[in-house]
Amino acid sequence: NSLPPGLVSNLQQVLLSRKNPAEVEEDNSGRPSSSGNEETDGGASKPIILVTNSEGIESPGLSCLVDSLVREGAYDVFIVVPQSDKTMAGHSLTLRETVEVASVEVNGAVAFEISGSPADCVSLALSGALFSWSKPLLVISGVNKGSSCGSHIFHSGVIAGAREALLNGVPSISISQNWVKDESLESDFKDAVAVSSPIITAVVRDIRNGVFPQGFFLDVELPCSPLSNKGIKVTKRSFRRYSVNWQAISSKRNQSASRFAAGQPGIGMQFAQLSRDASAAGAARRFATQKKDVEVVESVGAASKSEFKRTVKYYRAEEQEEEEEGDEEDLDFRAVENGFISVSPVLQREDDSETGNAASKWISSAL
């Protein structure tokens, strides 16, 4: 009982692989049919749930969610999250660069933080390179601080985490709580998890019973006062647009935006940056050698200048909301504003009306 659950899980997989192949029922992929479930001492299956987010390991929404899952004792919980806040990272993947992975101590769960995006977190976790299991039963991304309604589907890191799971054939849920300045409290995240738990339970139940539809993930949007919600409403994605306001800032204030000063990245990220700098320096030397016999003219208007003086400026982006025209009650943001829990099916293929109808029917009947 003193062994970490992750080590127990790995040992069980090794013992399972040493059994007579005839004793292990395999699915069409050639992997054990218990994928996403680990056998406990009592013989009952225990689903694996992978948790990610866009805000990092210290996010109160993540902490409340993991505490609830661990306390319930019905799941093996694994966590992979970004090292730093990647709230608006979108569905970016890190290619051709080294990603640093560091273990994190979380009671009752196996946890890692990585120097990548939320999509990187899920992609790595499902690749088989980090964990011994082939895939979890469910991926939960959140609980995010702030709404992911409307056009946030293109920018949101928490949405990207759930979408990456969908692209890998794993059922997933993204959970976001509407955050109102000077009104919302961090303690609200406990309430957010409390009202989300029945949704998670229903999804796990129907996945295990083989009746959960495929081809979509659930986007759960919670009102700012989760316990005061008016119920669950099946919604559709709105076209509410969120604009960005760019402001010029002084050079003295740019230190907070520095990639090294603010986030304090791990040694892997520092080596990656040094490598890029070294490559850039080498390219500059080669270019300088090649252009010795070449006369460089900056432009027609500046032909008389012998040197170009580089100007550096600094800007910071702040998000601004833009109200959407239309008052349809079944839009995601409208439902949240009216105090409902919005549950939207996000389809892998937007034109797949059959899957959309099946998803909406499941939400209406199961929740």
Side-chain angles (χ1 to χ4, degrees), residues 79-83 94 97-104 110-117 120-125 127 129-131 265-269:
I79 304 167
V80 184
V81 294
Q83 279 182 350
T94 303
E97 291 185 19
T98 300
V99 173
E100 179 181 286
V101 179
S103 60
V104 185
V110 178
F112 292 91
E113 58 179 7
I114 76 171
S115 60
S117 67
D120 285 327
C121 293
V122 176
S123 178
L124 175 61
S127 69
L130 184 61
F131 301 120
I267 190 67
M269 293 182 69

Side-chain angles (χ1 to χ4, degrees), residues 270-287:
Q270 294 185 39
F271 277 131
Q273 179 60 29
L274 288 173
S275 176
R276 288 193 292 270
D277 292 346
S279 298
R285 286 194 300 271
R286 289 192 297 272
F287 180 72

Side-chain angles (χ1 to χ4, degrees), residues 93 98 103 111 133 183 209 216 241 294-295 297 337:
L93 287 172
T98 300
S103 60
W133 37 261
E183 181 178 339
N209 290 336
F216 73 98
R241 193 161 61 90
V294 178
E295 181 180 359
V297 179
E337 286 181 348

